[in-house]
Amino acid sequence: MTEQLRYDELDRAIDAIISRGELTPTGDPGLDALARVASGLRGLPAPELKAQLREELFPKASRRLWPSFPAVPGLPRLRALALAPRIAMAIFFAGVVAAFAVLVLSPFGERAAEEEAFGALPAPVAVGGKGGGGVTIPGSSGTITYTLSPDLSLPASALAYRLRPPQVTAESVAEIARRLGIEGPVQFTPAEDGGGKGGGIPASYMVASEGRFFQMMEDGYFSYQDDELSGDVKHAPPDAQAPTEEEARAAAEEWLRLTGLTGDDPYTLTVLEPVQVPVFPEANKADDTGEVTDGEPVMSEQPFRDVLVTPERPANQIFDHVQIGLLVAGGGIAQVDGYWPSIDAESGYPLHTAEQLLINLKNLRGEFNFLELIGGKDQPLMLADRLQDASATVESVEVAYTLGIAENGQPYLLPVYIVRGHLTQPELAAPEAFATWVPATGPTASPPQVAEPLAALLAVRDALPLPPGATIRGDPTYGGNSLWTSYFAQEEQGAVVEFYQRELAAQGWQPEGSLPSRWIPETLGPQFTSASSFVKDNLRVVILVGPNQKDASRGATALDLVVEARASEAVAAVSRSLPLYPGATIQHSGFETESGLLSAYRVQDDPDAIVQFYRQELAAQGWQPEEPPVVELTTELGIDLAQYSTIKSFVKDDLRVAILVVVPGEEDPNYPATLFDVVVEPAPQ
């Protein structure tokens, strides 16, 4: 019987004692002994006496965390003042017997360590089902108000686990590769950007030979690939068969045995069903016009199976956790990725109360954009309008585990809360189920903090006026120097434009003399019919309007509002004065920060001719060649100068112009044009 099954069997036995007063045999001597202890302890003393006895018998310095049986509502309580000495002594011995039973007979494993023995735990690195990239911006979606179900019950404590990653050396990686039949030298790759999870890519060791490789990073993550088998998976014929469940299981177990990566840890191996994909018959493929002809797709089984390996202890791990994934093709193991540290120690930690749970839900999951859904069997919300407010009732909470990494790189498995319930909105016909997660230990969460420069752009945006009745239309986008937010406006387009001309002037914004070329409606697309820009200090506000073609019930006008940093007037003036190479077309004009400005161009010509052109033209304007040419820009434009084949820079007064050229075909061999960027920025002092 597995550990989890013994948990379940003990739960059923205790439920029978509580609900019916029956002592039901389980067939397991250890569990039956625990059930007898539970039955004998039904008449528990008052909490005050238990606390007093606990302090006297188990001083805090040596206290241990014991699993506790559920409270039994309605059972008689013995008051402390009414206890005769012999009863108190009986209770004392009952406590000793119970403790002995837990230590000797418990199916829960080895004895727990001291309470909170690891000190402050790190934050979970769990990431939910949102996926994607970019920054999640507060205040850009509907709010969610949470209430707890009256019968909700939360556990008081749970174990945290300190993990012991494997010792990764050139010798250990070479030995694992040798067991897999991969012979060759060990290749070392240094860490990038600090190394470690969340801090870049850690250093790694790899052995590769004859189309197979095994690689292991210094933090314990590893991967394996057989190029031939992986190719078979990608280019298998339509009638190729996936391995059977037994074949996949045997192949995975043999790979684990050879590598020894799981050590002596008991694990659960799950073989997934083959993936089914639609295959269109020849008669159903697109013709030259792109139209699809008649014919129904046929579901075809992919010629591989995924196998997941997870440790038996602790159960219910989610997101980033201890796991190995294997891709098994007909000929064997095609690919493997995994992370398998062993449990080094465990310690009990108090879990958040109901009040702390509500604080965490409000501060971490109080908006739809921050509602990290669990995924898997807990499908994401499909019907709720994420732009509208909602109410959510929490109906159940369970403890799960996810990875946490301390600042020194020490990994832990941390308890977190999985929160399930139903969400309601006025437009929803019926409540919709949801499942999310929040931390369960440590301090309660604070509201999301926004870093600069986004925080400054948000402050400017939130201070701008909105037309009456305007509502947000979608997720804002943040591009490092600009914040773009979309709205529905009730009024017609002309009225919206007049509103901003009037209201922005009242706030001190000045109409910009010349609209930057990238904001001309013709370059943005037919969805916009009007664009106007306003400047103040080092910022620009762009107002874009067009007809609402998405949802007429939300208003007549689609309004887009952009707040962005702009370069100084001196930089902008130089940029406007620079000549354009004959025949060049603008790829992007006016990527700005507070100090610099970049414009990108494409032309069918020789790179040397471009450099010579700008050398002559800039010399005529009084610019002097910079020797040696610039090796690092002063402006944070996100440019890696290593991507350019030719770099020339020129200085005048306190400004610099850099001409950055890419050799034809280096960016896109199918489009042999020369790409070049022109940067204007302050010169180094």
Side-chain angles (χ1 to χ4, degrees):
M1 185 183 295
T2 67
E3 184 179 27
Q4 184 59 49
L5 290 177
R6 300 186 81 197
Y7 270 112
D8 297 339
E9 195 66 35
L10 181 60
D11 282 344
R12 284 190 288 271
I14 294 176
D15 287 342
I17 294 171
I18 294 173
S19 60
R20 302 188 302 274
E22 298 177 358
L23 185 59
T24 306
T26 66
D28 184 309
L31 296 182
D32 289 343
L34 284 176
R36 286 193 296 272
V37 172
S39 178
L41 295 177
R42 294 178 68 197
L44 295 176
E48 295 86 352
L49 179 62
K50 291 195 295 182
Q52 178 182 345
L53 287 174
R54 187 183 300 115
E55 291 298 331
E56 294 176 358
L57 299 173
F58 304 104
K60 188 173 182 60
S62 61
R63 190 181 306 163
R64 298 292 188 267
L65 195 72
W66 315 116
S68 59
F69 296 110
V72 185
L75 291 182
R77 303 286 184 177
L78 300 178
R79 299 188 61 83
L81 294 178
L83 287 174
R86 67 177 63 185
I87 298 178
M89 186 59 68
I91 293 172
F92 162 69
F93 281 110
V96 172
V97 171
F100 179 82
V102 170
L103 290 173
V104 177
L105 305 173
S106 173
F108 306 148
E110 62 190 50
R111 176 173 170 170
E114 290 188 8
E115 186 174 355
E116 301 184 68
F118 310 139
L121 296 172
V125 296
V127 289
K130 290 173 70 63
V135 178
T136 304
I137 300 173
S140 57
S141 62
T143 61
I144 305 174
T145 303
Y146 292 90
T147 58
L148 303 183
S149 174
D151 57 353
L152 183 69
S153 176
L154 298 181
S157 62
L159 292 174
Y161 298 88
R162 187 176 66 201
L163 303 179
R164 182 179 64 254
Q167 293 295 317
V168 181
T169 64
E171 292 74 19
S172 66
V173 172
E175 173 60 22
I176 295 174
R178 185 193 63 77
R179 296 175 192 170
L180 293 170
I182 305 174
E183 301 286 352
V186 178
Q187 305 171 34
F188 175 74
T189 302
E192 296 181 13
D193 297 329
K197 190 171 184 66
I201 303 175
S204 66
Y205 300 89
M206 183 175 72
V207 180
S209 175
E210 299 180 351
R212 301 166 68 214
F213 77 81
F214 177 78
Q215 182 179 28
M216 199 165 194
M217 298 182 176
E218 287 188 338
D219 60 1
Y221 285 83
F222 57 85
S223 58
Y224 163 85
Q225 180 165 309
D226 184 316
D227 291 343
E228 181 177 350
L229 292 178
S230 297
D232 291 344
V233 169
K234 296 177 182 177
H235 307 293
D239 58 350
Q241 297 294 312
T244 66
E245 180 177 350
E246 292 74 17
E247 290 171 339
R249 181 179 298 276
E253 289 178 340
E254 175 63 11
W255 194 93
L256 296 174
R257 185 192 67 79
L258 283 173
T259 62
L261 286 166
T262 56
D264 296 327
D265 299 337
Y267 59 77
T268 299
L269 192 149
T270 305
V271 181
L272 304 183
E273 291 297 321
V275 177
Q276 300 284 331
V277 297
V279 175
F280 293 90
E282 291 297 325
N284 198 29
K285 291 187 176 179
D287 58 23
D288 294 338
T289 66
E291 295 294 327
V292 178
T293 58
D294 293 335
E296 292 295 327
V298 177
M299 299 305 294
S300 175
E301 180 180 285
Q302 293 293 283
F304 61 85
R305 284 180 184 261
D306 287 305
V307 178
L308 297 180
V309 182
T310 55
E312 290 187 0
R313 180 169 173 266
N316 200 20
Q317 296 187 34
I318 61 172
F319 303 137
D320 281 2
H321 62 277
V322 180
Q323 177 177 272
I324 300 174
L326 304 95
L327 182 70
V328 186
I333 304 297
Q335 298 173 9
V336 182
D337 287 286
Y339 177 65
W340 196 278
S342 298
I343 293 176
D344 180 53
E346 61 187 35
S347 178
Y349 277 78
L351 299 181
H352 286 168
T353 64
E355 292 77 14
Q356 291 174 302
L357 172 63
L358 277 176
I359 293 173
N360 285 339
L361 287 170
K362 176 183 177 181
N363 290 338
L364 296 179
R365 310 288 178 251
E367 297 182 32
F368 273 98
N369 276 357
F370 291 89
L371 185 61
E372 295 187 358
L373 299 166
I374 300 300
K377 65 179 180 179
D378 301 297
Q379 295 299 315
L381 293 164
M382 300 297 293
L383 302 177
D385 186 345
R386 54 196 303 275
L387 298 179
Q388 304 299 313
D389 295 346
S391 299
T393 300
V394 176
E395 297 162 356
S396 69
V397 174
E398 65 177 295
V399 175
Y401 284 87
T402 194
L403 197 64
I405 306 293
E407 291 185 1
N408 63 357
Q410 172 64 54
Y412 296 87
L413 278 175
L414 310 174
V416 296
Y417 279 151
I418 301 298
V419 179
R420 292 185 172 88
H422 282 80
L423 180 145
T424 60
Q425 284 179 325
E427 301 299 323
L428 276 178
E432 190 170 6
F434 75 92
T436 187
W437 75 276
V438 291
T441 60
T444 52
S446 301
Q449 301 298 308
V450 181
E452 298 292 353
L454 174 57
L457 296 177
L458 278 172
V460 173
R461 185 204 66 179
D462 293 343
L464 296 175
L466 284 175
T471 56
I472 197 163
R473 192 169 87 237
D475 286 345
T477 56
Y478 171 60
N481 73 322
S482 65
L483 174 64
W484 187 316
T485 310
S486 302
Y487 301 90
F488 291 111
Q490 297 294 324
E491 299 175 316
E492 297 293 335
Q493 299 171 51
V496 173
V497 173
E498 292 177 0
F499 171 85
Y500 277 105
Q501 290 174 342
R502 180 179 65 252
E503 296 296 329
L504 290 179
Q507 290 190 359
W509 293 88
Q510 301 297 319
E512 193 166 19
S514 176
L515 187 70
S517 58
R518 68 184 179 282
W519 295 121
I520 297 174
E522 289 77 7
T523 66
L524 295 172
Q527 69 270 31
F528 299 112
T529 59
S530 173
S532 52
S533 60
F534 304 81
V535 295
K536 183 169 63 172
D537 300 327
N538 60 345
L539 294 172
R540 174 186 293 115
V541 171
V542 181
I543 306 298
L544 305 169
V545 297
N548 176 12
Q549 300 174 336
K550 184 177 181 181
D551 185 357
S553 66
R554 305 285 292 276
T557 300
L559 164 66
D560 288 75
L561 190 154
V562 182
V563 180
E564 65 177 3
R566 71 182 186 110
S568 67
E569 185 55 39
V571 167
V574 168
S575 181
R576 290 192 296 266
S577 71
L578 294 178
L580 179 62
Y581 187 83
T585 58
I586 296 176
Q587 299 300 114
H588 182 81
S589 175
F591 181 80
E592 294 178 75
T593 67
E594 294 181 5
S595 56
L597 189 150
L598 176 146
S599 299
Y601 304 91
R602 182 189 296 269
V603 66
Q604 296 280 355
D605 213 336
D606 183 71
D608 292 338
I610 298 171
V611 172
Q612 183 61 27
F613 170 83
Y614 278 103
R615 180 182 288 116
Q616 293 176 354
E617 294 294 328
L618 289 173
Q621 294 185 8
W623 293 86
Q624 300 298 317
E626 188 177 19
E627 297 296 344
V630 59
V631 295
E632 183 178 0
L633 298 175
T634 62
T635 305
E636 292 293 333
L637 290 170
I639 297 175
D640 180 8
L641 294 182
Q643 65 182 304
Y644 298 98
S645 56
T646 303
I647 299 174
K648 296 296 180 182
S649 56
F650 307 83
V651 293
K652 183 172 71 172
D653 300 329
D654 57 352
L655 293 176
R656 169 195 282 149
V657 172
I659 310 298
L660 315 173
V661 184
V662 178
V663 171
E666 284 195 359
E667 183 184 79
D668 185 356
N670 298 317
Y671 196 99
T674 298
L675 306 177
F676 67 97
D677 296 338
V678 178
V679 175
V680 183
E681 66 173 5
Q685 300 300 315

